[in-house]
Amino acid sequence: MNKALKTVKNGIFDENPTLKLFLGMCPSLAVTTSASNAIGMGLATTAVLICSNAVISSLRRVIPKEVRLPAYIVIVAGFVTAVSLLMEAYLPALYKSLGLFLSLIVVNCIILGRAEMFASKNTVFLSVCDGLGMGLGFTSSLLLISSVREILGSLSWFGISLAGEGSGMLFFIVPAGGFFVLGMISAVINRITKYRISKVKPGCKSCPAANVCGGNCEEEAKA
Amino acid sequence: MRIGFILVSVILVDNFVLSKFLGICPFLGVSKKFSSAIGMSGAVTFVMALSAAATWPIYHFLLAPNDLGYLRTLTFILIIAMLVQIVEILLKRFIPALYSALGVYLPLITTNCAVLGVTLLNITEDYSFIESVVNAAGGGIGFGIALIMFSGVREKLETCNLPKAFRGMPAVLIAASIVSLSFAGFAGLAEGIFGSIGG
């Protein structure tokens, strides 16, 4: 049980996918204009992450090593389709505002990265815990970014107006504001954790394409 | 006219990286060096145009007539993954010079959300075949422009003496914010040139 709790905690704090490993950046910048969008995106990703981790982990002895990436992609895409159909039926407003990014959960590096790094090596129960931890870590960082952006940009939180009059600073709602807020938040986290984070690099161990490219991309970047 | 409108808006106004947030991972990951930025953007443009050309007929002649439209995410990602592998094999065999320039970036493209994103956008925007390919190629060029410009910014950033907390990713993100803000200056450009026919 201890190990399970540790795995969950690891995903939320030590290896927070967005704020520490800088994975899954596209959704964390695109859908964070309002807090409710961020929660919707975060929970959808968490659901896909838990389900795909569970299935991949239970099939880890069945899937041949050579074709594991296409197999993982099919499993993940299946769950993404299921989640987006459910959301279209029960939460049509959220489905509309997340739009394209709901389908793009398939190519979110967090999910394939966890499948490759964790689910393919661990038991089903631990993989589910890992999915839960990583998903909650992702959701909480989305919530943090979107709260800053929504409060400063439209003077509201979860759609509830905070200031009555006034329209907020447009800068925080436009794309440039997304980059800016994420940059500021990661600088603050750097400061709080006394610069330990900058040493944590996503590197090849979290990249689903690592076994194909064999670290060539990193080498290329260094050269 | 409409083709020109799509091209201008996708390259400058609705730039994939800076205003649609597609393909951020390679944008931040491969922009450290000018030469790798060029290689990556070449590979992305190529694969994007190719996958738009491959997925459009599959959706319109195979999935849509059989009411299987909801399977498009699953189908498209597999087509893209397969296409990237085939392109890699063909380039290695027939155009080794191009392979040595783009080769290392190709496997990374499968998980680039700009590629899957553009194929899905082409369907939701109801583009024709030509428009889809133009939209995809333009998106790739826009990605390239953003990446190459940004690699120039980052090479300068390397030599700056920044506050300790901002070193690494925070400074890169704030620089990206400024580049994105400068692209916001193109808003309304496409309507200005082509009138509002494209809208």
Side-chain angles (χ1 to χ4, degrees):
Chain A
M1 207 58 217
N2 236 345
K3 209 175 168 195
L5 271 178
K6 222 177 137 192
T7 315
V8 174
K9 192 181 143 261
N10 180 49
I12 300 177
F13 296 104
D14 305 334
E15 282 184 32
N16 187 302
T18 313
L19 297 175
K20 292 214 173 171
L21 298 182
F22 293 102
L23 292 175
M25 300 291 275
C26 303
S28 41
L29 291 165
V31 303
T32 50
T33 48
S34 79
S36 43
N37 276 0
I39 289 282
M41 183 70 199
L43 293 183
T45 309
T46 308
V48 173
L49 201 49
I50 292 175
C51 298
S52 62
N53 260 7
V55 170
I56 287 167
S57 158
S58 54
L59 293 178
R60 68 185 186 280
R61 293 186 215 287
V62 184
I63 299 174
K65 210 172 180 316
E66 295 78 23
V67 294
R68 69 185 189 285
L69 282 178
Y72 296 165
I73 290 177
V74 174
I75 293 168
V76 175
F79 283 116
V80 169
T81 308
V83 165
S84 58
L85 286 175
L86 284 172
M87 198 178 266
E88 190 177 9
Y90 294 105
L91 299 163
L94 188 62
Y95 177 79
K96 241 188 144 153
S97 60
L98 293 181
L100 179 65
F101 284 93
L102 206 53
S103 311
L104 290 183
I105 295 178
V106 181
V107 281
N108 190 324
C109 341
I110 300 171
I111 296 179
L112 274 181
R114 287 331 278 179
E116 175 79 11
M117 266 176 76
F118 200 93
S120 57
K121 294 177 194 121
N122 287 285
T123 59
V124 178
F125 178 67
L126 273 184
S127 303
V128 168
C129 293
D130 180 69
L132 183 70
M134 282 286 158
L136 290 181
F138 181 64
T139 312
S140 53
S141 16
L142 286 196
L143 183 63
L144 181 64
I145 301 165
S146 66
S147 301
V148 174
R149 289 183 72 184
E150 197 184 351
I151 291 172
L152 293 176
S154 42
L155 298 179
S156 62
W157 197 48
F158 282 102
I160 302 160
S161 176
L162 298 175
E165 299 287 306
S167 55
M169 287 174 272
L170 185 65
F171 172 74
F172 289 98
I173 297 295
V174 297
F179 285 113
F180 181 76
V181 170
L182 186 52
M184 282 313 217
I185 290 177
S186 51
V188 169
I189 289 181
N190 265 350
R191 181 75 191 81
I192 293 171
T193 53
K194 302 201 173 63
Y195 317 115
R196 261 176 305 167
I197 300 165
S198 46
K199 283 172 201 153
V200 183
K201 275 194 181 151
C204 280
K205 60 177 184 166
S206 59
C207 172
N211 65 310
V212 200
C213 88
N216 281 331
C217 52
E218 285 257 301
E219 297 282 300
E220 187 77 5
K222 269 183 220 150
Chain B
M1 282 296 257
R2 196 165 144 81
I3 301 281
F5 182 87
I6 293 175
L7 203 58
V8 170
S9 57
V10 83
I11 293 179
L12 294 176
V13 186
D14 283 327
N15 188 289
F16 265 45
V17 182
L18 297 169
S19 78
K20 280 191 187 143
F21 292 125
L22 293 169
I24 301 283
C25 296
F27 176 68
L28 297 175
V30 201
S31 60
K32 268 186 205 142
K33 260 202 78 181
F34 186 69
S35 57
S36 40
I38 292 182
M40 183 70 181
S41 43
V44 167
T45 311
F46 187 58
V47 171
M48 270 168 84
L50 212 59
S51 38
T55 50
W56 194 90
I58 290 196
Y59 181 79
H60 284 274
F61 298 122
L62 198 66
L63 293 181
N66 294 316
D67 267 338
L68 292 171
Y70 64 90
L71 283 181
R72 60 175 182 264
T73 313
L74 210 162
T75 325
F76 287 6
I77 186 74
L78 285 179
I79 293 173
I80 293 168
M82 197 181 70
L83 211 60
V84 170
Q85 291 278 320
I86 293 175
V87 167
E88 203 183 347
I89 294 167
L90 287 181
L91 280 186
K92 205 173 189 172
R93 174 74 183 78
F94 295 108
I95 324 174
L98 195 61
Y99 176 77
S100 61
L102 305 183
V104 290
Y105 306 104
L106 283 171
L108 297 172
I109 290 177
T110 316
T111 49
N112 181 343
C113 54
V115 181
L116 181 63
V118 78
T119 57
L120 292 169
L121 270 179
N122 284 336
I123 305 301
T124 45
E125 298 277 326
D126 224 3
Y127 284 148
S128 72
F129 180 73
I130 305 281
E131 285 167 348
S132 300
V133 175
V134 168
N135 187 32
I141 295 168
F143 174 83
I145 290 176
L147 192 64
I148 290 164
M149 272 177 51
F150 193 56
S151 72
V153 175
R154 270 187 88 167
E155 280 184 356
K156 291 250 184 278
L157 213 58
E158 291 284 302
T159 56
C160 287
N161 188 15
L162 293 161
K164 222 173 165 187
F166 281 92
R167 277 180 207 165
M169 209 43 123
V172 171
L173 284 166
I174 289 169
S177 159
I178 296 167
V179 174
S180 161
L181 206 57
S182 69
F183 266 68
F186 289 118
L189 182 72
E191 284 83 354
I193 299 176
F194 298 100
S196 52
I197 30 118

